[in-house]
Amino acid sequence: MTMPSFNEKISAQFQAFIDSQEKRFDGDCFQMDLHCHDRNSDVPDELIGRILRSRETWLDTDVLVDRLTQNGQKVFTITNHNNARSCYALQNAGHDVLVGAEFTCAVPQFNHVSVHVLTYGFSPSEERRLNSLRSNLMDFLSFSKERNLATVLAHPLFFYDPNNNSSVELIELFTLLFENFEVVNGQRDVRQALLMAKWLDTLTPEKIDILGKKHGINPGIFSERPYVKAMTGGSDCHMGMFAGTCGTRFHVPDLENRLRTASYSELALQALRMGNVAPFGSVVGGEKMTAAFLHFFCQLTMYLDDPGLLRLLLHKGTGADKMTAFIILNAIMELRRHKYTSRFLRTLHDALNGKKPGLMIRSITSKAYRGVLQELDKLADARRSDSARFVRQLEQSIPNVMDQLLEVLSKRVENKMKQAEKQHGDSASQWPSIKNIEAPVYLRTWFQSVSPSSNPDAKRLDVASWSDGLPFPALAASCVLGAKFTSARVQHANRAFLNEFARHAGAECPSDSILWISDTYYEKNGVGNSLRLFYDAALQYDLPIHFAVSSHRNYEAEQFSEFAAPFMFEVPFYRDQTLRFPNVLDLEKSFFDNSCTHIVVSTEGPMGLCALYLKMAYNVPAYFYLHTDWIEYAKQSLQFEPASIDRLRRMLRWFYSQFDGIFVLNSEHAEWLSGNDMAIPRQKIHITAHWCNPMFFPRPVDRQTVLPGCVNGPTLLYAGRLSKEKGVLDLPPVYNAIIESHPNARMIVVGSGPEQDVLKRDMPQAVFMDWVPKSVLANIYAACDILLFPSTFDTFGNAVLEALASGTPAIAYNCKGPRDIIIDGESGYLVENMEEMIHRIRLILDDEPLLHKLRLGARRRSIDFKKESIIRQMMHEMNISLPKIAKRTPPLDAHQRKSA
């Protein structure tokens, strides 16, 4: 039976908490959403929003009141930021209103920390005084107590803290200053609600007095009931979609009679002062907040005015803040200018408000996007229903819309690739911008048509023709993904603090767990081979690793998820590897469903960017497992020019530096990354290794069966991809030199690749075999005398380790991976050039005792690469503690016992 994940457990605990709160009062209750906003929240707390002169929402008051009424409310409050204009307007219109606002107050004891304080029951003159006291939270609360105003600490575990000064001491201070805490906030996750509820439940008068002495504060100074803490709830909804779906229940004994002489708002204020309140409803899932940000993005595109360049430049914000605001504003204006994208955002905005796409929209929408319209229909229907159905529909429709947009984008890019291939061929050297990585600084020139040039080096990608047909699906998908990213980032920005507070409060923290992502798994290369070994180890030792692979199908297995990539194509000059662009929402779901706390990625490109997305969205450490030397590949296979090599190095430096750690497979790579060229701090670089599949071990084999036609004479072996970067073009001169002195020597080549025909032409006496299963390869290793490894590209060399494990010595160039595997003269030889390689081969073939000695040394060296040690060290580098690794392997067979 599968154990529930951490997120599943806390969701169940939250529902149990809500059920217990519902049973607190037998009757005589009414409810109200104590925290919601409308268009009068027009001066946001965020500096970027103030620079842009953006509202937090353009939601009309009447629309919000209608939504609250639909959810059963008879009394209202609208807690806009630092003002109660909407409350006063509703009072003047004859509504029963509890006047309230959400004030932003600075905490002087903690530099630059500010909190939101929900305050109720004040007059316009008191509001002006409250605003004048916001620079000091304690002065603000003293005045509130003096005027008998009710205060609630909004979202207690989420506050503005740009310098990361938050600590447990801050929550202890809040415990002394407040008597009401908004435990259930519709825009915060269940974990924050549970942590705060648990903390409040642990408070006793003795504990509160101890905290008072620690902080030098008398608990009764700011509170009428310092030892009785109350919990409230509010939707914190800015868009009206979820207003009233959570809030506060007010218990008023003899409610029916009390209402004859007092209004709901008066009774609510009294109950709040006395602590006779309880939260109700649900809090945010990722989908609810994503919908809120999608709604807000739509509003920005529809309603945001140009704040003025001079105002932006003269604002007191930093240069970085102004540049960010400038970029955001221009992006919004471009979205508004692009008619298809702006039309999509308006239609999406209507659907989120319960309005289906109209007849005109349907008539002008191309067939490719009919599926998107169907999802918007479903959203609109669900929006007009209850909130639970709407949330369920959001969970389905947001990924579906993303999938469909990516599918359209994928087909169009694939067509562009085919057109480009017809124009430029399948050679890297013939493609624009391949040999020379550069782009013009003046962006307008990107979209000008490319004129023919007599200078071949002047070729560049014709962005104007490439971009035709791509902007809408790309921009629309970016809006959806941007909303999803912002939602996750806001929810998890204080992850480290929550873990610290959970430990202090005696609450459970999520167990360390890794999401390991890759777009290579089944391929016959080092990355795929290593991942398959790691997956087997994860199952064998019950390691906290879940693998997520972007591939050609949807498949689920234990600790393994495979996602069909909606966007994939072959790179014409590297057809052995399909470039896959996954729907990052699939990876995000896998990350969340498995309650992961760390990320490891094995490939650059799309999956590497996905890993950085998850790292920044969920505020978790991410590690890169470096398999490929792209600098060497660009030199050998793509023939990059020196200037382009330098630019590639800078791009890689930026990319690798974004990760919290980098696992490398050889000491040379570690030195390069930490050297002047890459300048990555040495403490972020961790040297690791692969281990060998246990099926590789010395064994007696029938050479005639394993290698037909190679019964007599020495046998040399190459196993791997047949491509330039693997150094295979060195094999013909080496082998031809060997057969001059050893005519009966045979060269066995296992693998395939673009240089296969060349090798067959230049080594007609060699035996060529395609890729073979590991079980067959193990026999081939055991049957051969020497492995040749001519690559200067490989960062490790799985073939070298497999050969050593089979008792076959290896000869390789003295660089990178082989240097850290082969002990020169004991398990093989490290050579500097082809001449030395030829010399060492002849030396071994002419000395049977030497070959026997190297065979024994090879096997001994392979045993140094112990699976358990490698795994434990890797987990240690990621600060993941493991219990003693318990072996659950089957007994060794006879051959394995003999070799051991």
Side-chain angles (χ1 to χ4, degrees):
M1 181 178 178
T2 304
M3 295 294 292
S5 70
F6 175 79
N7 290 327
E8 289 172 334
K9 285 193 290 186
I10 62 173
S11 294
Q13 291 169 9
F14 176 78
Q15 189 56 54
F17 165 74
I18 289 296
D19 292 343
S20 69
Q21 291 298 305
E22 187 175 350
K23 298 173 183 176
R24 277 192 59 200
F25 308 118
D26 293 334
D28 289 331
C29 291
F30 63 93
Q31 65 187 43
M32 176 168 44
D33 186 343
L34 276 181
H35 190 176
C36 54
H37 301 264
D38 69 6
R39 63 181 297 110
N40 281 318
S41 268
D42 51 1
V43 181
D45 276 348
E46 294 76 14
L47 181 61
I48 300 298
R50 296 200 299 275
I51 295 175
L52 290 173
R53 196 178 275 175
S54 167
R55 297 175 182 271
E56 290 196 334
T57 178
W58 279 263
L59 178 66
D60 286 334
T61 306
D62 291 343
V63 175
L64 174 59
V65 170
D66 287 345
R67 185 62 177 169
L68 293 170
T69 302
Q70 290 170 15
N71 283 313
Q73 290 196 194
K74 300 176 182 177
V75 56
F76 310 101
T77 186
I78 302 178
T79 51
N80 289 322
H81 283 290
N82 306 318
N83 78 85
R85 294 196 300 271
S86 295
C87 289
Y88 301 143
L90 286 176
Q91 275 187 329
N92 293 336
H95 290 282
D96 188 2
V97 176
L98 174 61
V99 174
E102 184 177 19
F103 292 96
T104 302
C105 299
V107 185
Q109 296 92 326
F110 291 82
N111 192 27
H112 298 299
V113 171
S114 58
V115 297
H116 289 178
V117 182
L118 297 166
T119 309
Y120 306 95
F122 52 81
S123 65
S125 61
E126 288 171 329
E127 179 189 332
R128 290 190 290 272
R129 179 60 176 158
L130 288 168
N131 269 306
S132 71
L133 297 173
R134 291 194 297 113
S135 60
N136 189 308
L137 174 63
M138 301 177 83
D139 292 343
F140 183 96
L141 293 176
S142 293
F143 177 77
S144 298
K145 182 183 178 185
E146 174 188 325
R147 296 304 179 94
N148 200 25
L149 307 178
T151 57
V152 178
L153 179 60
H155 37 75
L157 297 179
F158 186 87
F159 34 79
Y160 184 69
D161 179 24
N163 296 335
N164 293 319
N165 290 322
S166 52
S167 65
V168 172
E169 284 73 22
L170 185 60
I171 305 301
E172 293 176 346
L173 177 64
F174 294 159
T175 303
L176 298 168
L177 299 181
F178 289 91
E179 55 191 15
N180 299 313
F181 296 82
E182 187 189 47
V183 169
V184 176
N185 178 286
Q187 297 300 310
R188 305 298 150 200
D189 64 6
V190 296
R191 189 183 183 205
Q192 294 190 36
L194 288 174
L195 284 177
M196 200 63 210
K198 183 173 181 62
W199 170 255
L200 295 177
D201 283 343
T202 65
L203 296 177
T204 62
E206 293 76 19
K207 186 172 183 177
I208 291 173
D209 286 337
I210 291 172
L211 293 177
K213 291 178 181 178
K214 176 180 177 179
H215 293 273
I217 296 175
N218 185 334
I221 290 180
F222 299 99
S223 176
E224 293 291 344
R225 43 182 175 82
Y227 302 117
V228 180
K229 307 298 181 182
M231 294 182 282
T232 70
S235 69
D236 200 3
C237 184
H238 290 64
M239 306 301 155
M241 293 184 291
F242 303 105
T245 58
C246 68
T248 303
R249 296 172 65 239
F250 299 85
H251 176 58
V252 180
D254 198 18
L255 176 61
E256 186 176 351
N257 287 327
R258 294 289 303 280
L259 284 171
R260 293 172 182 167
T261 57
S263 65
Y264 279 108
S265 58
E266 292 171 331
L267 296 177
L269 189 60
Q270 292 173 18
L272 190 57
R273 288 168 178 159
M274 298 172 64
N276 291 334
V277 291
F280 74 87
S282 62
V283 298
V284 72
E287 294 72 20
K288 288 174 67 176
M289 186 169 275
T290 299
F293 278 112
L294 270 175
H295 202 297
F296 182 61
F297 289 172
C298 296
Q299 289 185 340
L300 284 176
T301 306
M302 294 164 63
Y303 303 127
L304 183 66
D305 294 325
D306 189 332
L309 182 60
L310 284 179
R311 180 183 180 279
L312 186 150
L313 294 174
L314 297 175
H315 197 279
K316 65 180 180 180
T318 66
D321 293 328
K322 296 174 188 177
M323 179 57 70
T324 301
F326 180 81
I327 293 171
I328 291 173
L329 181 65
N330 278 271
I332 291 170
M333 295 305 172
E334 283 299 315
L335 286 173
R336 186 178 295 174
R337 184 171 173 268
H338 192 271
K339 62 179 182 179
Y340 294 113
T341 308
S342 60
R343 185 184 300 149
F344 166 74
L345 292 175
R346 286 195 299 271
T347 307
L348 175 60
H349 176 266
D350 289 343
L352 292 173
N353 285 326
K355 180 181 177 182
K356 289 186 175 184
L359 183 61
M360 179 179 175
I361 293 293
R362 295 178 189 279
S363 64
I364 62 177
T365 300
S366 70
K367 185 178 180 180
Y369 298 109
R370 295 291 167 82
V372 174
L373 285 185
Q374 291 174 3
E375 294 299 330
L376 296 185
D377 279 342
K378 295 175 185 177
L379 279 177
D381 285 337
R383 174 66 173 82
R384 293 195 301 270
S385 181
D386 61 278
S387 63
R389 180 188 167 193
F390 184 43
V391 171
R392 289 194 299 271
Q393 191 60 53
L394 285 169
E395 292 173 351
Q396 298 173 18
S397 291
I398 290 177
N400 288 347
V401 167
M402 190 72 171
D403 273 338
Q404 291 167 26
L405 291 171
L406 289 178
E407 183 179 355
V408 173
L409 188 62
S410 173
K411 290 179 179 177
R412 294 184 179 181
V413 170
E414 186 177 0
N415 290 333
K416 302 285 184 184
M417 292 289 294
K418 290 178 180 177
Q419 294 171 13
E421 188 176 343
K422 289 180 181 178
Q423 180 181 355
H424 303 293
D426 60 1
S427 169
S429 61
Q430 298 301 313
W431 271 59
S433 302
I434 292 297
K435 293 176 65 177
N436 182 20
I437 301 178
E438 192 48 274
V441 174
Y442 182 38
L443 296 182
R444 179 65 62 181
T445 61
W446 286 34
F447 301 95
Q448 293 175 349
S449 297
V450 179
S451 59
S453 173
S454 58
N455 179 6
D457 291 334
K459 290 188 300 181
R460 62 178 173 83
L461 197 65
D462 188 350
V463 178
S465 62
W466 260 77
S467 63
D468 182 39
L470 301 183
F472 169 64
L475 290 173
S478 297
C479 289
V480 175
L481 187 60
K484 192 72 174 175
F485 173 84
T486 308
S487 167
R489 187 166 176 81
V490 168
Q491 289 183 70
H492 300 280
N494 61 342
R495 177 187 287 264
F497 167 70
L498 290 181
N499 287 338
E500 178 192 0
F501 182 67
R503 288 187 287 269
H504 183 74
E508 182 182 3
C509 286
S511 300
D512 291 330
S513 176
I514 298 169
L515 182 70
W516 196 320
I517 65 177
S518 174
D519 55 6
T520 298
Y521 186 82
Y522 299 105
E523 287 78 2
K524 298 177 177 66
N525 55 35
V527 180
N529 181 65
S530 303
L531 275 178
R532 292 191 294 273
L533 286 176
F534 239 110
Y535 175 64
D536 291 342
L539 294 181
Q540 179 182 353
Y541 298 128
D542 196 24
L543 300 176
I545 305 176
H546 189 90
F547 294 83
V549 175
S550 177
S551 185
H552 60 284
R553 60 178 185 169
N554 286 305
Y555 174 71
E556 290 284 336
E558 186 180 357
Q559 294 182 229
F560 186 91
S561 299
E562 189 173 348
F563 305 108
F567 189 4
M568 58 185 180
F569 55 87
E570 288 184 345
V571 180
F573 45 83
Y574 191 52
R575 296 193 179 279
D576 285 0
Q577 178 64 52
T578 300
L579 193 60
R580 298 184 179 95
F581 290 78
N583 185 343
V584 69
L585 301 189
D586 289 334
L587 292 174
E588 189 170 3
K589 185 176 186 302
S590 182
F591 177 89
F592 185 82
D593 288 349
N594 291 284
S595 304
C596 295
T597 59
H598 296 68
I599 301 163
V600 176
V601 60
S602 293
T603 50
E604 295 88 349
M607 297 304 281
L609 296 177
C610 287
L612 293 180
Y613 168 94
L614 293 173
K615 165 187 164 64
M616 292 185 284
Y618 286 89
N619 196 21
V620 294
Y623 297 82
F624 190 81
Y625 200 120
L626 202 160
H627 289 270
T628 306
D629 186 343
W630 289 109
I631 298 294
E632 196 68 28
Y633 180 79
K635 289 178 182 177
Q636 295 191 23
S637 294
L638 302 182
Q639 295 98 46
F640 271 22
E641 299 168 354
S644 293
I645 292 289
D646 185 62
R647 293 185 185 96
L648 176 61
R649 174 184 61 81
R650 293 170 187 267
M651 292 163 61
L652 291 172
R653 180 174 64 191
W654 173 86
F655 177 76
Y656 294 143
S657 65
Q658 305 307 304
F659 289 88
D660 297 273
I662 305 171
F663 290 100
V664 298
L665 291 162
N666 62 79
S667 54
E668 182 178 316
H669 241 142
E671 292 171 7
W672 175 68
L673 287 170
S674 59
N676 292 332
D677 284 348
M678 299 298 280
I680 294 174
R682 186 63 182 84
Q683 64 269 20
K684 291 176 65 173
I685 302 167
H686 314 294
I687 298 178
T688 185
H690 297 321
W691 61 89
C692 199
N693 192 309
M695 69 172 56
F696 294 102
F697 57 88
R699 70 191 74 193
V701 294
D702 180 3
R703 181 178 283 190
Q704 175 61 36
T705 302
V706 176
L707 304 173
C710 301
V711 178
N712 299 315
T715 52
L716 310 178
L717 172 66
Y718 172 83
R721 175 176 155 81
L722 306 182
S723 56
K724 285 182 180 179
E725 75 276 3
K726 294 290 189 176
V728 295
L729 297 185
D730 286 2
L731 292 175
V734 169
Y735 178 52
N736 291 332
I738 293 300
I739 58 177
E740 288 180 4
S741 56
H742 298 77
N744 59 345
R746 286 292 177 267
M747 183 77 207
I748 312 299
V749 179
V750 179
S752 64
E755 303 302 326
Q756 187 171 34
D757 292 340
V758 174
L759 294 177
K760 286 184 176 180
R761 182 196 68 197
D762 294 344
M763 295 190 299
Q765 294 175 281
V767 176
F768 286 84
M769 307 173 72
D770 204 340
W771 297 107
V772 297
K774 290 290 184 185
S775 57
V776 176
L777 184 60
N779 288 329
I780 294 174
Y781 277 126
C784 291
D785 295 306
I786 306 171
L787 173 79
L788 302 186
F789 195 79
S791 172
T792 59
F793 163 76
D794 283 67
T795 57
F796 187 73
N798 285 315
V800 173
L801 186 57
E802 290 168 356
L804 300 190
S806 303
T808 302
I811 299 179
Y813 288 126
N814 185 20
C815 64
K816 292 194 188 76
R819 180 188 296 158
D820 287 358
I821 302 173
I822 299 171
I823 299 178
D824 191 49
E826 292 186 18
S827 53
Y829 288 105
L830 297 168
V831 300
E832 302 298 334
N833 49 52
M834 277 195 292
E835 289 73 20
E836 188 179 355
M837 182 176 285
I838 294 168
H839 170 70
R840 291 298 185 185
I841 295 171
R842 286 172 173 164
L843 188 68
I844 296 173
L845 297 184
D846 291 337
D847 190 340
E848 185 65 30
L850 175 60
L851 176 57
H852 180 69
K853 170 194 166 187
L854 292 175
R855 284 188 180 278
L856 294 176
R859 178 60 184 173
R860 279 197 305 270
R861 177 56 176 157
S862 72
I863 295 173
D864 292 338
F865 294 82
K866 293 183 173 65
K867 176 167 48 176
E868 293 85 355
S869 300
I870 294 170
I871 292 172
R872 187 173 293 282
Q873 181 63 30
M874 185 176 176
M875 296 297 151
H876 173 74
E877 302 291 2
M878 290 188 285
N879 296 313
I880 296 177
S881 59
L882 289 177
K884 183 178 180 181
I885 296 180
K887 290 187 178 181
R888 295 196 296 276
T889 54
L892 296 174
D893 62 34
H895 287 306
Q896 290 173 318
R897 285 197 296 273
K898 183 175 180 181
S899 65

